[in-house]
Structures are given as C-alpha cells and as structure tokens.
Amino acid sequence: ERAEEVYKNLVALDADDRVAFGSLQDVRRRLGKFEELVEMLVERSERVQSRNERARLFAEIGRICAQETRDLDQALVAFTQAFCEDPSQTNIATEIERLASTRAEAWNEVLGSMTDAAQADAMPQEGKNALFLTAARF
C-alpha cells in the first residue's frame, strides 16, 4: 500500500515518468486493484499522441478485463479500440474474434467502431485499408 502511494505521487509529479508509471501498474496489479489500474491506463491513453501507444494501452486494458476481472464485454471494447488505433496489430484482431465469437450484437458494435475509425480524417490511408480489409474478413 505504501509503495502504491509513493509511485502515485511520483506519477503526479511527472506524468511522463515511464518507470514510475510502470511501477505503479505493477503494484496495483499485485494488490488486485484492477479498476484503478484500468482507470489509470484510460487517463494515460487520453494524453498520449502516438496511435501505437494508445493501441498498446487499450490492449493492456483489454487483457486486464479479460484475464483479471473477467469482464469480457469491456475487454472486447478495449481490444476494438486498440485495433482501431493500430490496425496493423493482427494479434488484437484475433482477440476480437475470440471475444465476439458468435454474438451478433457484439459484431455490430465491433464493425461499427471499425467503420467509424476508418472514416475518421486522422486515420492514415493504410490504416483505413487495414480496417476495411479486416472488417470484410470478420
């Protein structure tokens, strides 16, 4: 508990300190504070500029939701967001397929999010192509 407080204060002082942020993640994971961990990762994803980094953060949220909290719906949302940020990550597409399975409503959500991301002006053309190709495969 004390280590968490120390790392939390360090991250508050310098939000870009990757060592303190990673250590805070580790401590919260060991303490089983998964909600706080997810919240922290979401906040971080809102601040980063890189699509790759946002994808990495959302994929981590997806793993936490799938493996630790067993919230498969939230895991699917997080993995979908990760894939929409970086459609070159085929391993994330595999997770989406596994989590959506045969649930039509889940697929509607996934494909809707992918279409929205592909139509966004900020998405590079190669990302748009990858999203549409993967959506067609799904």
Side-chain angles (χ1 to χ4, degrees):
E1 295 284 333
R2 179 73 179 124
E4 179 188 19
E5 195 62 36
V6 169
Y7 288 126
K8 195 162 103 177
N9 289 334
L10 288 172
V11 170
L13 289 172
D14 183 4
D16 294 326
D17 184 339
R18 295 177 72 93
V19 173
F21 185 81
S23 297
L24 181 56
Q25 279 182 280
D26 291 341
V27 167
R28 285 188 169 164
R29 186 173 275 113
R30 288 183 180 143
L31 292 172
K33 294 186 173 184
F34 300 113
E35 287 181 27
E36 290 92 338
L37 180 56
V38 167
E39 192 175 306
M40 183 176 89
L41 292 168
V42 169
E43 288 173 9
R44 181 77 161 218
S45 75
E46 293 169 351
R47 287 195 316 269
V48 298
Q49 299 298 316
S50 162
R51 296 182 77 85
N52 291 343
E53 181 65 10
R54 269 195 306 276
R56 188 190 69 73
L57 292 166
F58 279 113
E60 181 63 22
I61 291 168
R63 282 187 287 279
I64 292 166
C65 291
Q67 297 168 2
E68 305 297 342
T69 65
R70 303 280 189 230
D71 188 340
L72 301 184
D73 290 332
Q74 285 303 313
L76 181 59
V77 169
F79 280 123
T80 301
Q81 183 63 39
F83 189 72
C84 289
E85 291 292 338
D86 185 2
S88 68
Q89 300 293 320
T90 56
N91 59 325
I92 294 174
T94 302
E95 283 299 309
I96 291 170
E97 282 184 290
R98 184 180 70 77
L99 290 168
S101 186
T102 59
R103 298 181 300 145
E105 187 175 311
W107 280 115
N108 287 337
E109 298 270 333
V110 168
L111 295 172
S113 294
M114 290 173 67
T115 301
D116 290 346
Q119 293 174 342
D121 292 334
M123 176 63 73
Q125 187 61 46
E126 62 192 31
K128 292 178 183 206
N129 294 343
L131 283 168
F132 283 131
L133 286 171
T134 303
R137 183 176 61 83
F138 284 162

